[in-house]
Amino acid sequence: MPKTRTDPVRTCVACRLTAGKGELVRLVRDPDTMEIRIDPTGRAPGRGAYVHRSPECVELALRRGGLARALKAAVPEEVWAALAELAAPA
């Protein structure tokens, strides 16, 4: 009987709820340059953190500082803007 693949489960740094990796946005801190960016592939090397694609979770991560704490670095304003744009309702 063939094995079925399951979507890996990750935790949102804002609301602390678990979800499938595909439902969350991954942000990564590059180990060499210490640059923080959105990782669309989910496979970039470096320290990663996940947040839901909802405006509420993005705002909560900004207000509580969960994303900066998880990445152990300050998140630049342009990353917050890109994340808010990704989370905006269509």
Side-chain angles (χ1 to χ4, degrees), residues 29-48:
R29 185 191 76 202
D30 187 272
D32 299 326
T33 63
M34 300 299 281
E35 174 191 12
I36 295 175
R37 64 184 189 285
I38 294 174
D39 177 17
T41 65
R43 295 175 171 236
R47 185 173 190 85

Side-chain angles (χ1 to χ4, degrees), residues 26-65:
R26 181 175 189 249
L27 286 97
V28 65
R29 185 191 76 202
D30 187 272
D32 299 326
T33 63
M34 300 299 281
E35 174 191 12
I36 295 175
R37 64 184 189 285
I38 294 174
D39 177 17
T41 65
R43 295 175 171 236
R47 185 173 190 85
Y50 293 84
V51 67
H52 278 107
R53 295 176 189 264
S54 72
E56 295 83 15
C57 279
V58 171
E59 196 271 325
L60 195 60
L62 175 61
R63 192 173 71 229
R64 288 186 181 167

